[in-house]
C-alpha cells in the first residue's frame, strides 16, 4: 500500500516529496525495499524529499542532509562531510535529557 501511495503521489510530478514515517508498521524486508525504491525515484527524478523517521539508521543512510528536532527545536542541521561522520550514537546524544 505504501509503494502504491508513493506511486500515486509521484504521478503528479511534485517538486517536493514529504514522507512522514512511510515505513512505520512494515516488516524489515518491506521497509528496506520501500526505502531503496524511494531513494531510486528521488535520485532519478531529482526530487527534494523530506523523510521524517525515528529510525536513526535510515536517517543516516538516505539523503544528503540531516535535521534533528528535539522538543520542537532544531538541535542539529548538518550536511556534507560533517554529516558523513555521524553515527547512530552521535544522533542519540541529541535526545538525552
Amino acid at each position: 500500500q505504501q509503494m502504491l501511495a508513493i506511486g500515486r503521489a509521484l504521478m503528479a510530478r511534485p517538486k517536493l516529496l514529504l514522507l512522514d514515517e512511510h515505513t512505520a508498521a512494515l516488516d524489515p524486508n518491506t521497509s528496506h525495499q520501500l526505502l531503496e525504491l524511494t531513494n531510486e525515484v528521488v535520485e532519478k527524478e531529482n526530487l527534494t524529499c523530506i523523510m521524517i523517521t525515528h529510525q536513526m539508521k535510515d536517517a543516516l543512510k538516505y539523503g544528503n542532509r540531516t535535521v534533528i528536532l528535539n522538543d520542537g527545536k532544531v538541535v542539529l542541521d548538518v550536511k556534507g562531510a560533517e554529516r558523513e561522520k555521524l553515527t547512530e550514537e552521535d544522533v542519540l546524544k541529541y535526545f538525552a535529557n
Side-chain angles (χ1 to χ4, degrees):
Q1 275 188 333
Q2 290 293 71
M3 288 185 200
L4 183 60
I6 291 172
R8 282 194 308 255
L10 293 171
M11 287 177 63
R13 297 277 191 210
K15 293 181 181 178
L16 172 67
L17 182 62
L18 178 59
L19 303 171
D20 186 6
E21 295 285 345
H22 74 301
T23 60
L26 297 177
D27 65 89
N29 187 47
T30 303
S31 177
H32 175 75
Q33 289 176 344
L34 182 57
L35 285 165
E36 288 295 317
L37 177 65
T38 302
N39 193 53
E40 286 176 28
V41 170
V42 165
E43 287 182 359
K44 179 182 174 195
E45 299 295 326
N46 197 30
L47 286 172
T48 297
C49 178
I50 298 174
M51 180 178 79
I52 299 164
T53 184
H54 289 94
Q55 302 300 320
M56 296 303 122
K57 186 183 339 178
D58 296 337
L60 294 172
K61 180 176 180 179
Y62 298 97
N64 54 20
R65 182 175 174 186
T66 298
V67 178
I68 298 175
L69 300 173
N70 189 356
D71 198 26
K73 297 178 180 83
V74 175
V75 294
L76 180 71
D77 184 352
V78 293
K79 57 185 174 183
E82 185 179 2
R83 181 185 181 275
E84 294 298 319
K85 295 179 205 173
L86 278 180
T87 66
E88 288 182 64
E89 293 78 25
D90 294 332
V91 171
L92 291 174
K93 291 176 188 173
Y94 288 93
F95 297 100
N97 290 329

